[in-house]
């Protein structure tokens, strides 16, 4: 029986109840949209020769277009389309494709992601060399409520050389808006960076073609030979585990340290699985704590073979091999003569005013302005409604359950008064304030006033701006110390409401200025 002679309905039993369960999956929006892109890319790869003949080109190109509206998302591609004989598999849950060695392997992706995103969705497709265009529509609540086991397919005539698939998601469970729209764009560019760089795949998100900017690799002398010849701090990685399992790729040091962007990106079949943007793969056995220089400079790409992935394709199933992999990965990363971890921990970038380009500072000014514009309004509104406080500073700071990264004590003499000051760094995720202090005044003449200033490295503001280099951390420590002393002297000079300033500043640093 040919494609044109079959009936016009698709049986979706016996798993119709799964459609309702898909909305409860633990997806992130970018990984859900990636399911649709995966299908387009795999269709393009599986049919490259046929598409080349149809398009009269030796190197056909895949175009995927994604458009986001308030309650509607459209994903369209010019791949080979869905053939009629593949409809039962394509639209019945948990029916794997014949080729499970590609990007579409579980038979869940499109259905699960579509039902997670929307209560209503449809697919319009025209398969290559098929004279018909077909449309299938899913009203998920109606299907689940009524136990519908068969979905009608609409047909109309089409040119045989037309080939496309358009998915429309409506009545969204998860509408995309605000910063999420931007994050989806950034994640998709990261996930498909290898396909984008090949030149054969173009993904358009809104009106913009996605691109991925590779970080610059550090070129510098070794930390123990400052006047030596500069080297490019990058090396290849190969880990053979046997039985078809292996990890290959490269590791390097970033030219510019970054707490947010360093770390490994882990790929499988050239598609990123683990480590997109702020979720980089940074196992502590290699990267150490977030305030380490390795955490901020080491990055790379790893391709895994012989491992399965989670059904949402955002995690690797290491099968008890992860510890072995990390041990060997660390050995290779820090093996001489190019010991990346040793270089990261001991190298310090230097630069003077003469090294600054003409637009130096432009990105910093625009970044600060954008953060304030985007995140500050609700914080300001809340603060204007809060009562001012005149509470004196604490006499002792609370103990923390984490190690103090560093503590320095010193003394200040002024106007016949004696201050003993402690300046400390802590890693305390439970502490909401970026900086805090205590003041225990002298009880008897001749005794010193005890002042302790604390800066929290686990605070969002510190993690974003204060962990790049000791030379960049020191100004922020000086600022915290200056704010503390200014508050003490302002209070002793008779100023009122000064603690309100500290409270409000800490709120802004956490809720507005510590954000992207």
């Amino acid at each position: 029986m040919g494609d044109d002679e079959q009936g016009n309905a698709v049986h979706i039993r016996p798993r119709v109840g799964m459609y309702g369960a898909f909305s409860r999956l633990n997806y992130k929006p970018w990984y859900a949209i990636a399911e649709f892109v995966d299908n387009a890319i795999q269709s393009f790869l599986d049919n490259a020769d046929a598409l080349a003949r149809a398009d009269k080109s030796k190197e056909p190109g895949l175009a995927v277009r994604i458009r986001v509206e308030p309650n509607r998302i459209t994903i369209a591609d010019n791949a080979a389309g869905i053939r009629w004989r593949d409809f039962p598999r394509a639209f019945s849950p948990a029916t794997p494709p014949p080729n499970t060695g590609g990007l579409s392997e579980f038979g869940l992706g499109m259905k699960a992601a579509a039902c997670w995103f929307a209560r209503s969705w449809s697919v319009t497709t025209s398969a290559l060399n098929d004279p018909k265009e077909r449309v299938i529509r899913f009203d998920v609540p109606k299907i689940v409520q009524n136990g519908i086991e068969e979905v009608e397919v609409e047909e109309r005539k089409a040119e045989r050389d037309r080939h496309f698939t358009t998915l429309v998601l409506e009545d969204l469970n998860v509408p995309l808006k605000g910063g999420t729209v931007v994050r989806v764009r950034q994640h998709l560019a990261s996930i498909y960076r290898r396909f984008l760089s090949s030149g054969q795949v173009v993904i358009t998100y809104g009106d913009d073609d996605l691109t991925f900017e590779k970080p610059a690799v550090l070129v510098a002398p070794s930390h123990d030979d400052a006047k030596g010849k500069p080297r490019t701090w990058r090396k290849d990685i190969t880990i053979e585990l046997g039985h078809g399992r292996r990890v290959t790729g490269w590791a390097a040091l970033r030219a510019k340290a970054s707490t947010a962007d360093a770390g490994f990106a882990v790929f499988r079949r050239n598609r990123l699985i683990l480590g997109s943007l702020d979720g980089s793969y940074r196992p502590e056995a290699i990267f150490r704590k977030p305030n380490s220089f390795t955490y901020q400079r080491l990055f790379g790409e790893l391709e895994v073979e012989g491992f399965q992935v989670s059904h949402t394709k955002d995690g690797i199933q290491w099968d008890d091999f992860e510890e072995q992999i990390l041990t060997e990965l660390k050995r290779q990363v820090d093996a001489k003569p190019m010991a990346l971890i040793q270089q990261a921990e001991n190298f310090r970038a230097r630069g003077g005013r003469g090294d600054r380009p003409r637009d130096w500072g432009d990105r910093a000014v625009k970044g600060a302005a954008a953060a304030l514009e985007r995140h500050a309004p609700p914080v300001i509104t809340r603060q204007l409604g809060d009562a001012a406080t005149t509470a004196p500073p604490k006499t002792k700071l609370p103990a923390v359950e984490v190690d103090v990264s560093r503590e320095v004590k010193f003394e200040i003499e002024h106007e016949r008064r004696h201050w003993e000051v402690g300046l400390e760094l802590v890693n305390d995720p439970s502490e909401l304030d970026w900086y805090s202090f205590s003041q225990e005044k002298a009880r008897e003449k001749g005794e010193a006033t005890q002042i302790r200033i604390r800066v929290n490295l686990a605070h969002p503001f510190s993690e974003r701006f204060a962990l790049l280099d000791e030379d960049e951390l020191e100004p922020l420590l000086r600022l915290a110390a200056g704010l503390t002393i200014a508050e003490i002297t302002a209070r002793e000079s008779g100023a009122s409401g000064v603690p309100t300033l500290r409270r409000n500043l800490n709120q802004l640093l956490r809720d507005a200025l510590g954000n992207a």
Side-chain angles (χ1 to χ4, degrees):
M1 182 180 290
D3 281 358
D4 301 340
E5 301 177 79
Q6 298 185 25
N8 296 333
V10 172
H11 294 276
I12 59 175
R13 58 179 173 86
R15 306 181 185 92
V16 65
M18 293 178 66
Y19 283 94
F22 288 149
S23 64
R24 298 188 292 275
L25 288 174
N26 188 28
Y27 266 123
K28 291 182 179 177
W30 39 91
Y31 283 117
I33 289 183
E35 296 284 7
F36 313 130
V37 180
D38 283 350
N39 287 348
I41 292 177
Q42 195 59 49
S43 173
F44 170 72
L45 295 176
D46 288 343
N47 298 277
D49 292 341
L51 289 169
R53 290 192 296 270
D55 297 338
K56 299 178 175 59
S57 168
K58 293 183 179 179
E59 295 184 2
L62 171 66
V64 181
R65 301 179 303 280
I66 303 168
R67 183 162 296 278
V68 176
E69 300 171 74
N71 203 31
R72 177 186 174 102
I73 300 172
T74 305
I75 302 99
D77 69 70
N78 66 342
I82 304 173
R83 294 173 297 186
W84 173 241
R85 65 173 176 264
D86 290 332
F87 261 58
R89 175 192 59 76
F91 296 104
S92 180
T95 307
N99 174 20
T100 59
L103 300 184
S104 305
E105 56 186 305
F106 300 121
L108 279 172
M110 179 180 68
K111 287 83 70 175
C115 293
W116 181 81
F117 253 124
R119 288 175 282 274
S120 174
W121 56 277
S122 65
V123 174
T124 303
T125 186
S126 179
L128 184 63
N129 297 323
D130 189 332
K132 292 184 179 180
E133 177 183 299
R134 297 180 173 87
V135 183
I136 186 168
R137 306 178 193 277
F138 283 76
D139 183 331
V140 179
K142 183 178 179 181
I143 288 172
V144 175
Q145 183 176 353
N146 298 330
I148 295 174
E149 297 181 346
E150 191 173 270
V151 178
E152 295 298 321
V153 178
E154 304 169 21
E155 290 186 347
R156 46 181 173 260
K157 291 184 179 180
E159 299 294 330
R160 281 187 172 271
D161 60 356
R162 293 192 70 196
H163 49 91
F164 72 90
T165 299
T166 300
L167 170 71
V168 179
L169 308 168
E170 298 178 288
D171 193 11
L172 300 181
N173 298 311
V174 187
L176 301 183
K177 53 187 177 181
T180 304
V181 175
V182 177
R183 286 173 61 79
V184 170
R185 178 191 296 117
Q186 294 171 334
H187 277 281
L188 290 176
S190 176
I191 291 169
Y192 296 103
R193 66 182 77 171
R194 292 186 171 181
F195 292 101
L196 296 174
S197 66
S198 73
Q200 287 191 303
V201 176
V202 176
I203 302 175
T204 304
Y205 188 88
D207 297 325
D208 302 320
D209 291 345
L210 298 184
T211 59
F212 182 80
E213 184 177 349
K214 295 181 179 179
V217 175
L218 177 68
V219 178
S222 176
H223 68 89
D224 56 3
D225 185 12
K227 295 183 180 180
K229 184 179 179 180
R231 306 163 66 183
T232 300
W233 291 89
R234 183 188 186 279
K235 62 166 60 175
D236 292 332
I237 299 293
T238 300
I239 302 174
E240 299 287 354
L241 299 162
H243 304 288
R245 292 186 176 91
R246 68 197 303 250
V247 178
T248 58
W250 54 269
L253 298 182
R254 292 176 57 94
K256 181 176 176 57
S258 171
T259 302
D261 299 327
F264 284 121
V266 184
F267 293 79
R268 178 173 173 269
R269 300 169 184 172
N270 283 321
R271 191 258 208 202
L272 185 143
I273 302 296
L274 185 63
S276 179
L277 297 180
D278 51 2
S280 295
Y281 182 56
R282 282 189 272 204
E284 189 173 320
I286 296 174
F287 287 84
R288 307 182 185 186
K289 299 290 186 182
N291 61 329
S292 76
F293 295 109
T294 301
Y295 192 93
Q296 300 146 36
R297 281 203 187 271
L298 181 62
F299 78 113
E301 293 185 359
L302 302 174
E303 176 80 20
V304 301
E305 299 175 41
F307 292 92
Q308 297 299 311
V309 297
S310 63
H311 66 279
T312 50
K313 298 180 189 173
D314 59 357
I316 304 289
Q317 295 178 1
W318 296 108
D319 298 333
D320 297 325
F321 282 91
E322 187 172 18
E323 184 176 350
Q324 180 181 346
I325 291 170
L326 294 181
T327 298
E328 178 60 18
L329 180 58
K330 182 178 181 180
R331 188 194 68 78
Q332 292 191 27
V333 164
D334 210 30
K336 294 181 177 180
M338 186 168 286
L340 297 182
I341 294 176
Q342 292 181 42
Q343 177 73 358
E345 288 299 314
N346 295 285
F347 173 76
R348 299 294 176 265
R350 297 292 179 185
R353 295 191 186 100
D355 299 322
R356 296 173 182 170
R358 296 189 57 159
D359 62 350
W360 187 87
D362 184 62
R363 186 175 63 176
V365 172
K366 290 180 178 177
L372 285 168
E373 183 179 35
R374 188 179 307 124
H375 302 295
V379 184
I380 295 171
T381 300
R382 185 170 73 249
Q383 290 178 350
L384 290 174
D386 289 341
T389 177
T390 57
K394 299 173 182 176
T395 57
K396 287 189 179 180
L397 289 174
V400 292
E401 298 297 327
V402 293
D403 293 333
V404 175
S405 297
R406 181 69 64 190
E407 182 178 10
V408 175
K409 294 183 178 181
F410 55 96
E411 298 181 358
I412 297 177
E413 295 277 358
H414 66 98
E415 292 187 357
R416 299 180 183 176
R417 277 183 280 183
H418 184 198
W419 287 358
E420 290 183 354
V421 185
L423 179 60
E424 68 177 32
L425 291 172
V426 298
N427 281 296
D428 187 2
S430 66
E431 174 56 59
L432 298 181
D433 291 343
W434 174 63
Y435 87 102
S436 55
F437 78 94
S438 64
Q439 180 185 7
E440 187 176 3
K441 293 185 177 181
R443 297 178 181 177
E444 297 181 8
K445 189 175 182 180
E447 284 188 352
T449 295
Q450 303 293 322
I451 298 171
R452 196 171 187 182
I453 305 166
R454 175 179 291 173
V455 176
N456 186 12
L457 291 176
H459 189 277
F461 184 72
S462 295
E463 291 182 339
R464 185 166 178 81
F465 299 110
L467 299 181
L468 304 184
D469 193 295
E470 278 188 290
D471 291 337
E472 298 179 27
L473 175 59
E474 183 181 341
L476 294 178
L477 289 174
R478 293 189 182 203
L479 177 61
L483 288 167
T484 297
I485 294 172
E487 179 175 336
I488 293 172
T489 55
R491 178 188 291 275
E492 293 188 0
S493 298
S496 61
V498 183
T500 304
L501 177 64
R502 172 166 35 93
R503 179 198 67 190
N504 291 357
L505 174 61
N506 274 316
Q507 289 177 352
L508 283 164
L509 292 177
R510 169 171 285 275
D511 298 334
L513 295 171
N515 290 314

